[in-house]
Amino acid sequence: MAPLPITLDALRKTYGDYVALDDVSLAIRPGEFLTLLGPSGSGKTTLLMALAGFVRPEAGRILIGDRDVTRLAPNRRDIGIVFQNYALFPHMDVLANVEYPLRLRRVSRREARERAMSALERVKLGAFAGRDISQLSGGQRQRVALARAIVFEPRIMLMDEPLSALDKNLREHMQLEIRRLHDDLGITTIYVTHDQREALTMSDRIAVMKDGRIRQIDAPQDIYCRPGSGFVAEFMGEANILAGGDCRAADGGTLSSAATLMVRAENLHLDPADCGPDGIRLDGRLAGKAYRGENWLLQVELPSGRELMMSIPSARSEGCEELSPGDPVAAFAARRHAHPIPAPEPEAA
Ligand code: ADP
Ligand code: MG
C-alpha cells in the first residue's frame, strides 16, 4: 500500500489556561521521515498523541490522505506507535507481545504467529520469541516495541523518544536501524525527540517546536545552517549570535552589514587561510578552554562582552595547548558561514 500524505490543519489543544498546541498546521509528505524536535514541554507528545487519536484537539482537523480522521478511534487510524516507555506487556512473552495487535484485529492465530515471527526477524529478534520481557535488555525491549508497531503493516508510524532510555552507543546504532527500517518498509514516520543530533541524523525534515508552535520546518542541513531565528540557531547546536559591531572584514576593511549574524562554533578558525578571501574576523581574549578528544573548545570574550565559542578540531589545533586565559585570540570565519538572522526576540516575561 502506498503511503499517504497527512495534513494537520490549525490544531489547538489546551489544558485549562495552558495552550499545549497553538494552531499547528503541518503537511507531512507520503513516505517522509519527519521529526518533531523541541525542548521538554514544547508540545511534541501532545501533537503525536493527537495524530494517534489519544488526545482530542478542541479545534482543527487531521487528514490522512483525503480522509478526515479527527474523530476516529486510535485503533482505526492504521497507525503503529512506539511509546517512550515501550509499553510492553510484562506478563506476556516476546512473541505474544508482537502478536497482540494482530489478535486485536482478529487475525487468525496461525497467521498472527507467522507475521509476528517475520516482524521479529526484521528487528533481529527471531531467536528471542519465547523469552519473557523481563529477560531482555533495554535495547532488545525497544526492538520488541518496534516489531509490535510494524507487525500489522501500518501506513504510518509514530515514535515518541523511543531511544531515550538507551546508552549513547546503542542509541546511535538504533538511530540508523530505525531509519533503515523506515526506508525498507516505505511508511510515513513521525518521530519525536529533544536531541538535535538524533533529529539531524534520522530525518528528511525537522519541525522545530516551542511553546506549542512549530517555529521552523526544513531539511536537516537547512535547519542547521540557515536557522530562521536565534531560538532555532541555538537549539540546533553551538551557535554564536553576533552583532554587526563584533565583526570586521578579515582583510582589514570594514563590514557593510550591521545585521545580526549566526556563526557555528565549528566554523570559526584560528588560521585566516581557512576562511577564504572575503571572510570575517573577530578579536577577543581567551576566557577558557577545554579538550574534548575530537576537538578543543575555546571561549573567547569579545570587547562587547559577548562570548564566542570556538570548536577547533584536534587535528588542526596547533597552538591551542599553549593558549592561556587573557591571551589575545583572533577568530576567522568564511562569509558564507556567517548567516544573517532576525535580531533576537526579547524574552517573554
Ligand atoms: P513535550 O512532549 O514536548 O515534552 P508535551 O506535549 O508532553 O511536551 O507537553 C506540552 C505541555 O502540555 C507541557 O507543559 C505539559 O505540562 C502540558 N500537558 C501535557 N499533557 C497534559 C495533561 N494531560 N494535563 C495538563 N497538562 C498537560
Ligand atoms: Mg514528550
Side-chain angles (χ1 to χ4, degrees), residues 89-327:
F89 301 114
H91 58 282
M92 295 183 192
D93 68 13
V94 168
L95 186 62
N97 264 277
V98 179
E99 283 173 343
Y100 183 78
L102 298 174
R103 302 294 297 156
L104 211 58
R105 287 169 173 76
R106 308 251 172 258
V107 173
S108 75
R109 185 168 293 275
R110 183 159 159 225
E111 188 187 339
R113 181 135 305 189
E114 273 169 24
R115 287 169 65 180
M117 277 312 297
S118 119
L120 280 171
E121 265 145 33
R122 220 181 236 291
V123 299
K124 306 190 189 88
L125 276 185
F128 291 74
R131 294 269 187 108
D132 280 342
I133 297 299
S134 63
Q135 295 174 298
L136 302 182
S137 70
Q140 290 165 338
R141 284 176 206 206
Q142 205 276 337
R143 286 167 198 268
V144 176
L146 265 177
R148 191 179 60 179
I150 61 172
V151 73
F152 60 94
E153 296 170 28
R155 283 201 272 190
I156 299 167
M157 173 114 86
L158 307 182
M159 296 195 228
D160 192 353
E161 313 228 13
L163 305 180
S164 56
L166 306 183
D167 64 32
K168 182 169 177 291
N169 285 342
L170 185 55
R171 197 162 71 228
E172 289 178 352
H173 177 74
M174 287 303 299
Q175 288 166 4
L176 300 177
E177 285 214 3
I178 289 174
R179 176 67 216 214
R180 189 155 355 118
L181 192 65
H182 161 93
D183 293 346
D184 287 350
L185 297 174
I187 57 183
T188 307
T189 301
I190 299 123
Y191 189 94
V192 164
T193 182
H194 64 272
D195 179 335
Q196 47 92 6
R197 192 187 287 272
E198 185 161 297
L200 291 169
T201 303
M202 300 180 76
S203 318
D204 293 318
R205 286 193 303 161
I206 299 171
V208 182
M209 293 188 69
K210 185 188 181 208
D211 299 336
R213 283 162 49 195
I214 294 178
R215 299 304 167 115
Q216 186 169 354
I217 174 161
D218 263 317
Q221 294 205 13
D222 292 320
I223 288 263
Y224 189 79
C225 299
R226 285 173 284 283
S229 64
F231 169 74
V232 173
E234 292 188 321
F235 195 73
M236 294 310 298
E238 199 61 68
N240 295 294
I241 312 277
L242 304 166
D246 289 322
C247 315
R248 293 191 291 143
D251 63 9
T254 49
L255 272 188
S256 55
S257 161
T260 304
L261 297 175
M262 189 281 298
V263 185
R264 295 261 171 230
E266 70 272 22
N267 290 328
L268 286 167
H269 312 286
L270 293 170
D271 185 347
D274 289 337
C275 83
D278 66 343
I280 63 168
R281 167 176 182 148
L282 301 110
D283 284 282
R285 291 189 178 276
L286 191 77
K289 66 174 186 176
Y291 176 65
R292 301 208 305 182
E294 63 191 41
N295 61 352
W296 280 86
L297 272 190
L298 305 182
Q299 293 164 283
V300 177
E301 191 178 327
L302 301 178
S304 64
R306 215 179 288 266
E307 197 158 274
L308 206 60
M309 193 72 87
M310 304 178 69
S311 168
I312 309 293
S314 296
R316 310 277 339 256
S317 67
E318 314 79 46
C320 283
E321 206 138 353
E322 293 75 43
L323 277 175
S324 310
D327 286 351

